[in-house]
Amino acid sequence: MEHLVQHAVTTIRERFWEPLSLDELARSAMVSKYYFLRVFTRVTGVTPGRFLCAVRLQEAKRLLLSTSLTVTDIAVRVGYSSTGSFTRRFTELVGVSPTHYRKLSLETPGEPREPAPAPAAPPAPVRCAGTVTGILHTEHRVLTPVRVGAFDTPVLQGTPASWSHVSSPGRFTLARVPEGTWYIHAVAQARGGTTGTAPAALTATAGPVAVRGDTVHRLDITLCPPDWTRPPILSALMDLAPQPTAA
């Protein structure tokens, strides 16, 4: 039934600004909404609603960086009827406000964009007991540092509980990971297939990883281009890595 999910994902990407509902997506696939929800979540790792939200906010990020449209206009274009709800959702899932996200690309014209600020260290009452280490692999030539973070969701959104970066595929360590269940996401950019082609995203996800006590988890993950099943990257910290300069 994977073809039904692929059809739904195509519908979401092509009509994200519309008020698409679970019932409508299930009807277009000609299955019950409960069966559709179960299959969609198994294939993509998220519900149709979360996938739709990720696609909308990814388009909002693009418009913020490439146009002079106001936040209100962008909210309407990506399917939100309220600027306030759009701003709250964007800030929660991207990690910075829409205005701040736009500012990141405008502070120094012509220079690499600055990444979003790293999250502050957890407050004292939070027990940070775990360490996650691993080795990153890829068959692609990586042009940027690989950013690795521990997130509480399979969608790469918000700010990580712990993050680090490596200069190329290799060993990484995430220290002081709070107790809980986490997904380990990695992001980098690879050279395009032909001269003049824009760098392509490389991603990897491992998890869920349960961190309890003074545990050390060792992972082995491979960076590769995301396929159609993967929701867009929302986290500003992971997405706004400095762009490579021409050799």
Side-chain angles (χ1 to χ4, degrees):
M1 303 298 284
E2 188 174 285
H3 68 284
L4 298 179
V5 179
Q6 188 166 13
H7 174 74
V9 168
T10 299
T11 299
I12 288 172
R13 293 187 183 278
E14 293 179 348
R15 299 168 50 194
F16 59 84
W17 60 87
E18 299 180 18
L20 296 173
S21 66
L22 176 61
D23 286 328
E24 182 176 354
L25 290 171
R27 279 197 303 270
S28 69
M30 294 184 292
V31 295
S32 76
K33 67 178 180 180
Y34 303 105
Y35 179 76
F36 173 75
L37 176 62
R38 186 166 63 251
V39 172
F40 190 100
T41 304
R42 184 178 71 240
V43 172
T44 67
V46 297
T47 64
R50 293 184 70 181
F51 202 107
L52 173 60
C53 180
V55 171
R56 284 175 168 174
L57 294 185
Q58 177 64 17
E59 174 64 7
K61 289 165 62 181
R62 187 190 71 80
L63 292 172
L64 285 165
L65 296 181
S66 63
T67 75
S68 59
L69 291 170
T70 67
V71 171
T72 297
D73 288 339
I74 290 174
V76 172
R77 285 202 177 198
V78 300
Y80 284 82
S81 59
S82 165
T83 303
S85 61
F86 164 73
T87 299
R88 286 191 297 273
R89 196 67 168 156
F90 188 100
T91 303
E92 175 192 359
L93 301 185
V94 177
V96 294
S97 70
T99 302
H100 189 186
Y101 187 84
R102 171 173 276 166
K103 182 181 178 182
L104 292 175
S105 69
L106 299 175
E107 287 178 340
T108 313
E111 295 295 325
R113 293 177 294 179
E114 291 296 323
V126 177
R127 295 182 60 191
C128 298
T131 299
V132 177
T133 67
I135 298 178
L136 295 166
H137 306 275
T138 184
E139 296 179 356
H140 301 266
R141 181 182 176 187
V142 174
L143 301 181
T144 61
V146 182
R147 295 196 172 199
V148 187
F151 292 78
D152 61 1
T153 169
V155 181
L156 219 170
Q157 64 186 33
T159 54
S162 175
W163 76 283
S164 184
H165 66 270
V166 293
S167 58
S168 63
R171 186 174 300 278
F172 70 89
T173 298
L174 299 177
R176 294 178 56 81
V177 180
E179 290 187 345
T181 301
W182 305 98
Y183 291 84
I184 310 304
H185 293 283
V187 174
Q189 287 183 326
R191 184 180 297 281
T194 59
T195 302
T197 303
L202 298 176
T203 65
T205 301
V209 175
V211 175
R212 300 287 185 273
D214 296 325
T215 55
V216 176
H217 294 270
R218 295 178 175 85
L219 306 176
D220 196 71
I221 57 181
T222 300
L223 286 158
C224 59
D227 62 20
W228 64 268
T229 67
R230 301 299 300 165
I233 298 170
L234 296 183
S235 172
L237 178 66
M238 304 291 277
D239 193 29
L240 287 182
Q243 303 297 306
T245 57

